[in-house]
Amino acid sequence: MLFMIVAKHTAEACPGGIVRPDREFTAKLDEQMKKSGVKLIEGWLDAPGHVWYFVLEADDNRALNNAVEPLRLVGDVQMVPVMKFSEAVAWAKKIGIQK
């Protein structure tokens, strides 16, 4: 199952900032995601807005929560189940709500 992860933090809590810098943060995050067993589809960063976006594939809620733990330590994390648009269109046609 795919999940959109939206992780926000303040400028004061930014691991790349000057108040609480953590030069190892991205390495820790990458290691935690790999260790958790989830598959990272892709990730994006809005650096000025202090927001991370990830699409992760996970079949286990515990693995999903473990994967994003470093993000929780610096801010708020929202996890939303999503599907690919092409799959959503096919599903909507199959059940008759789209032509």
Side-chain angles (χ1 to χ4, degrees):
M1 190 170 198
L2 297 177
F3 293 87
M4 173 63 74
I5 308 301
V6 180
K8 301 176 182 181
H9 57 265
T10 64
E12 295 78 20
C14 183
I18 58 172
V19 178
R20 291 180 50 195
D22 182 351
R23 293 186 183 270
E24 301 295 321
F25 184 79
T26 56
K28 291 176 193 174
L29 181 58
D30 186 53
E31 180 182 333
Q32 187 67 24
M33 285 189 183
K34 288 177 181 171
K35 190 169 82 172
S36 73
V38 304
K39 180 179 178 186
L40 171 63
I41 304 300
E42 188 55 87
W44 302 268
L45 174 62
D46 167 11
H50 300 277
V51 184
W52 297 78
Y53 301 91
F54 293 99
V55 175
L56 301 178
E57 186 173 357
D59 294 324
D60 180 281
N61 191 43
R62 183 177 300 153
L64 182 64
N65 281 284
N66 286 337
V68 301
E69 187 60 23
L71 296 166
R72 282 193 200 146
L73 295 175
V74 297
D76 297 320
V77 178
Q78 180 183 15
M79 298 181 284
V80 180
V82 295
M83 65 173 58
K84 292 179 183 176
F85 181 70
S86 59
E87 293 173 357
V89 170
W91 170 77
K93 288 178 179 179
K94 181 178 179 180
I95 65 169
I97 60 173
Q98 292 293 309
K99 292 182 182 182

